[in-house]
Amino acid sequence: MIDILENIISKNGLIVAFLSVGLLMLFSFYVSKYIFKSHIPSVAVAIIIALGLAFFGEQKGLSDVSTFTGLSLLGGSMLRDFSVVATAMNSDIDKIKDAGLAGLISLIVGVSFSFFLGVFISFCYGYTDPVSLTTIGAGACTYIVGPITGYALGASSEVIAISIATGVFKTICVTILTPFLAKKINLNNPHEAIVFGGLMGTTSGVSAGLAATDPKLVPYGAMTATFYTGLGCLLCPSIFYIIISSLFG
């Protein structure tokens, strides 16, 4: 009987992944309703539990466990981007146009603030060469901008790994904190979601955080967050590196 069950699970990894996520969402709903009295959204509870379960795996989190291999596909970038596109069905193009200038300003401010904050923190930890400072600062933008900048500048593998870890930490923080802070920062309309995506940048964190806040806001935030990554890849290894080199070279 156990062999038959293991055979069914191994051949239907994606279905098991959907079932597991569904049960997790159901459990989170009851925790949110009866323990937290709906003060904490059920999706936020699910995110926190899922992040905790990820520690049971190795490189790919819980999907390293044979029973949950389907989670690697369900949680991969392909279905994540598909979900973002699906939510865009209800987006209003006029609202996106109205937030054009605010979105542009938020992008510039967001990339610059994250980069120089990352440079400052890395300097406090003893890094003084321009390549390392720029690479870790780029990692503070997103975990994609960091390694791209590091490879472009010839940074060491250790520094590139630190930049990736910095970006992942930022993504986790944005994912967890967004639903808790949404009411306090009035994150409840498309215009604010566009600005929020431009300031935070991480597409995964912004998408997950907005999904936990209001799924209708996801396409607006994800749009500027995507531009954020592109802008970071342009600025960090070029203009920002020149600035850091002039200060620390």
Side-chain angles (χ1 to χ4, degrees):
M1 184 64 184
I2 295 177
D3 293 337
I4 295 175
L5 185 61
E6 289 179 346
N7 186 44
I8 293 174
I9 292 175
S10 63
K11 290 183 178 179
N12 299 277
L14 185 59
I15 295 176
V16 173
F18 273 109
L19 178 62
S20 302
V21 173
L23 292 174
L24 175 63
M25 291 298 300
L26 181 63
F27 175 74
S28 302
F29 170 78
Y30 285 112
V31 170
S32 173
K33 184 176 181 179
Y34 294 108
I35 296 180
F36 297 112
K37 306 300 180 183
S38 299
H39 293 300
I40 298 178
S42 59
V43 180
V45 175
I47 290 173
I48 295 173
I49 295 175
L51 290 173
L53 291 174
F55 286 101
F56 288 95
E58 296 179 355
Q59 295 181 346
K60 295 183 179 179
L62 197 60
S63 64
D64 288 332
V65 180
S66 58
T67 305
F68 302 104
T69 53
L71 289 172
S72 62
L73 176 60
L74 182 60
S77 58
M78 181 182 71
L79 287 180
R80 181 205 64 187
D81 294 342
F82 177 77
S83 301
V84 172
V85 172
T87 61
M89 293 295 293
N90 294 322
S91 61
D92 189 338
I93 191 66
D94 291 331
K95 293 179 180 177
I96 295 176
K97 291 180 179 178
D98 291 341
L101 180 60
L104 178 62
I105 294 174
S106 68
L107 278 172
I108 297 173
V109 173
V111 172
S112 301
F113 178 78
S114 296
F115 175 80
F116 287 106
L117 179 62
V119 169
F120 174 73
I121 294 175
S122 60
F123 178 77
C124 293
Y125 276 91
Y127 290 94
T128 55
D129 63 290
V131 172
S132 297
L133 290 171
T134 305
T135 301
I136 297 174
C141 294
T142 75
Y143 59 79
I144 296 176
V145 179
I148 289 176
T149 302
Y151 287 123
L153 300 178
S156 66
S157 56
E158 175 193 354
V159 171
I160 292 175
I162 292 174
S163 73
I164 295 173
T166 305
V168 171
F169 177 75
K170 176 183 176 181
T171 298
I172 294 173
C173 290
V174 172
T175 300
I176 295 175
L177 296 179
T178 298
F180 293 102
L181 300 176
K183 289 184 179 179
K184 295 182 179 179
I185 60 177
N186 294 321
L187 184 57
N188 54 15
N189 59 76
H191 183 276
E192 299 302 328
I194 289 174
V195 173
F196 180 76
L199 290 174
M200 295 296 105
T202 163
T203 305
S204 299
V206 168
S207 299
L210 290 178
T213 305
D214 183 353
K216 293 180 181 178
L217 301 178
V218 172
Y220 302 103
M223 180 191 67
T224 45
T226 303
F227 285 130
Y228 180 108
T229 300
L231 183 63
C233 291
L234 289 174
L235 292 179
C236 291
S238 56
I239 296 175
F240 286 167
Y241 175 65
I242 294 173
I243 295 173
I244 296 302
S245 296
S246 65
L247 294 174
F248 296 93

